Amino acid sequence: MTETTAQALEQPTQGPPVLNTQELESDIVEALKNVYDPEIPVNIYDLGLIYELNASPDGQVYVAMTLTAPACPVAGAMPEWVRDAVESVDGVESADVELVWEPPWNQEMMSMRAKLELNMI
């Protein structure tokens, strides 16, 4: 093996940046805290509407979310608001947002902060 070949083998190959998924998910949560259900003055994260959030090291993000009720007037728009918020985060390449109905949302899914804001405790 020549010296040039050995050096080439030691060089890292260029590819997509590898992200720290914990940091990325934390940044995504902060972005989601800027999305509100128009009928409830609490962000959707603290309302407990985000059931699952997974970010891969290459910036692909999956979000499973629900709504407070299936007949929610913003049912068609809110997943797009979530996608926009997630994709606004540095490092996110794309977001797949899935609207799910199981388990059904209930007030117990709300954070303590949300309950305090809504005078529920």
Side-chain angles (χ1 to χ4, degrees):
M1 178 179 321
T2 68
E3 187 175 328
T4 305
T5 306
Q7 288 173 341
L9 291 174
E10 291 175 13
Q11 296 293 323
T13 58
Q14 292 293 329
V18 176
L19 302 169
N20 176 326
T21 56
Q22 265 189 327
E23 279 183 32
L24 184 59
E25 288 176 2
S26 177
D27 291 346
I28 292 167
V29 166
E30 290 307 309
L32 290 173
K33 288 183 177 182
N34 292 309
V35 179
Y36 286 77
D37 181 317
E39 297 179 339
I40 305 171
V42 175
N43 71 73
I44 64 167
Y45 190 82
D46 285 326
L47 276 176
L49 299 182
I50 304 299
Y51 284 176
E52 185 177 346
L53 169 61
N54 293 310
S56 67
D58 64 352
Q60 306 303 310
V61 178
Y62 170 77
V63 177
M65 67 170 294
T66 196
L67 301 172
T68 55
C72 178
V74 293
M78 192 166 305
E80 189 64 33
W81 299 344
V82 169
R83 182 177 298 106
D84 290 346
V86 172
E87 289 181 346
S88 74
V89 174
D90 285 342
V92 173
E93 293 298 319
S94 69
D96 177 26
V97 179
E98 181 179 11
L99 194 55
V100 298
W101 303 107
E102 293 296 325
W105 180 85
N106 65 66
Q107 294 179 355
E108 294 303 312
M109 296 173 171
M110 295 168 52
S111 71
M112 186 63 67
R113 178 181 178 163
K115 290 177 183 177
L116 283 169
E117 286 183 34
L118 296 173
N119 294 319
M120 296 177 69
I121 54 170

